[in-house]
Amino acid sequence: LLGRKPTTMWFLGDSLMMEVAVTMRCLAFSHFGEGKVRTVGNFGGLNAIYKHQCVDFKTNNSVRFSICAIKTTPFFGSSRFSCGDGLRCIYDHMLGRNDIVVVNFGIWYQDWKDNMQLKTDITSYISRARIQNKSYRQVKWFWLETFAQHFPTYGGVYRPKMRENACAYWNMTNPKENLEANWRNEITSTQVVNQKLIKLVPIWNFTAMAPLTEHIGKNGQNKLDCTHWWLGGIPMTAAKEILKSLNEYFPINCL
């Protein structure tokens, strides 16, 4: 996976990206052995240890390889549990010339009415990544597709007032309902694919028809959770798809 230079793989985005980051650390552990945990920055309130941390590994040739996770909102705000601007965060914490950046914050956009905001934010992200790439030409940029949700609603998307208590598939034979389910990727894939800087990592098809039991189902507050996944299933698939995409730049021998 690595050359002779220290490399950090940055995961920026929503809570689903944090699941993928944890899974990627498990893959790294199985390949390199135990890593050393360090906290990234002081943002994030009480959850900083979980949501803003790096794990440093030593590769077979003693080169440092780190996996860092930063939970971040896109660009339109922040909370005490997030950095608020993931690109700014990694610039403030030593983006390296040999680093890898994987981004997705699609779940933050809850409804089609947010589509213009998503378009604006994606355009801004690509523009800023291109500016940074002038100084960090060897950085590899990736956009991970937004995962499918399986709430018992039209398109499977989250709605605040749901009385059902089980995840469900939406009507996939209905084109309009499919668009409601996947509108985030319809927008981002067009903008990402039309430029050469950021590589799109497909994951939607794996998640749309995934067994419903892969979802957490009921969270610790006994609320229905058809967004997040048990670790080892879909998050592992996403991590391996990222490694496959990296194969264009590095030889992958740990899949």
Side-chain angles (χ1 to χ4, degrees), residues 11-30:
F11 286 86
L12 309 180
D14 52 34
S15 51
L16 291 170
M17 284 295 286
M18 301 303 100
E19 291 187 339
V20 178
V22 170
T23 305
M24 189 68 80
R25 290 169 183 164
C26 292
L27 287 174
F29 172 81
S30 67

Side-chain angles (χ1 to χ4, degrees), residues 235-247:
M236 179 66 75
T237 300
K240 289 187 175 182
E241 287 302 304
I242 292 169
L243 292 178
K244 287 181 181 178
S245 295
L246 276 168
N247 196 38

Side-chain angles (χ1 to χ4, degrees), residues 76-90:
F76 55 74
S78 64
S79 73
R80 73 189 192 94
F81 296 123
S82 68
C83 173
D85 183 341
L87 290 179
R88 183 72 267 158
C89 290
I90 61 172

